[in-house]
Amino acid sequence: MSIVQNRKAHHDFFIEERFEGGLVLEGWEVKAIRGGRANIKEAYVITRGEELFILGMHITPLVSASTHIKADPTRTRKLLLHAKEIARLIGKVERAGFTLVPLDLHWSKGRVKADIGLAKGKKLYDKREDEKKRDWDREKGRLMRQMA
């Protein structure tokens, strides 16, 4: 079940592969995500050493959250993946010019998981071409419905 999706990612990038990883979250963050107060539109993934971190993910704290904790809505959160996956992703990012983009947050067995996409950036003409194709598919569907 999807919590929040990054629709802008498919517009700005060619997604080559998808990986699912866990997130290191605090209790108030999980409660806020259950309340639907997460946003990954401006988020991106970086590497530090042999670890992956997600930056720019905004989780708005609930008003009823704990009063003794100072909530930071845009703190850096660690991604949890297998060591082999991390090594492979770091190699692709450093050598092949790929980017890591968060695609969505979802629940899996009661835990918050993040889908990470190994992506290449689209040029402006690629975006225009995708828009033309989408418009043509829409028009084609209209014509087929009119003929039937």
Side-chain angles (χ1 to χ4, degrees):
M1 186 174 108
S2 182
I3 301 166
V4 64
Q5 292 181 339
N6 186 357
R7 292 192 179 113
K8 191 176 177 188
H10 289 285
H11 181 263
D12 293 339
F13 298 98
F14 291 114
I15 307 299
E16 302 291 327
E17 288 184 64
R18 295 173 74 106
F19 295 89
E20 182 184 63
L23 286 166
V24 176
L25 297 173
E26 296 176 356
W28 68 268
E29 293 172 324
V30 176
K31 285 182 181 181
I33 288 172
R34 281 197 191 279
R37 300 174 70 112
N39 185 357
I40 60 170
K41 193 179 292 183
E42 301 294 324
Y44 56 98
V45 178
I46 62 164
T47 61
R48 287 188 193 154
E50 296 294 316
E51 297 177 330
L52 297 177
F53 293 90
I54 187 167
L55 283 100
M57 183 170 78
H58 189 87
I59 300 176
T60 307
L62 295 171
V63 177
S64 62
S66 182
T67 56
H68 66 281
I69 295 174
K70 177 75 171 111
D72 181 14
T74 58
R75 76 176 183 89
T76 303
R77 294 165 179 94
K78 185 176 176 181
L79 284 167
L80 303 172
L81 283 96
H82 292 283
K84 287 181 182 179
E85 288 178 327
I86 292 174
R88 186 164 164 250
L89 288 172
I90 289 173
K92 291 263 188 168
V93 167
E94 289 178 354
R95 286 188 216 102
F98 283 94
T99 305
L100 294 173
V101 180
L103 301 174
D104 80 337
L105 293 179
H106 59 273
W107 296 104
S108 177
K109 299 178 184 172
R111 300 184 192 278
V112 178
K113 301 288 183 175
D115 268 351
I116 306 301
L118 189 63
K120 279 230 189 237
K122 283 186 182 179
K123 304 284 188 222
L124 186 59
Y125 58 84
D126 291 326
K127 293 178 188 179
R128 280 194 215 117
E129 189 176 309
D130 283 350
E131 191 172 335
K132 285 179 188 175
K133 184 181 180 304
R134 199 169 38 246
D135 289 344
W136 168 241
D137 289 343
R138 192 177 301 128
E139 186 64 30
K140 191 168 50 173
R142 283 188 196 129
L143 293 172
M144 294 299 286
R145 280 193 301 268
Q146 288 175 355
M147 294 179 78

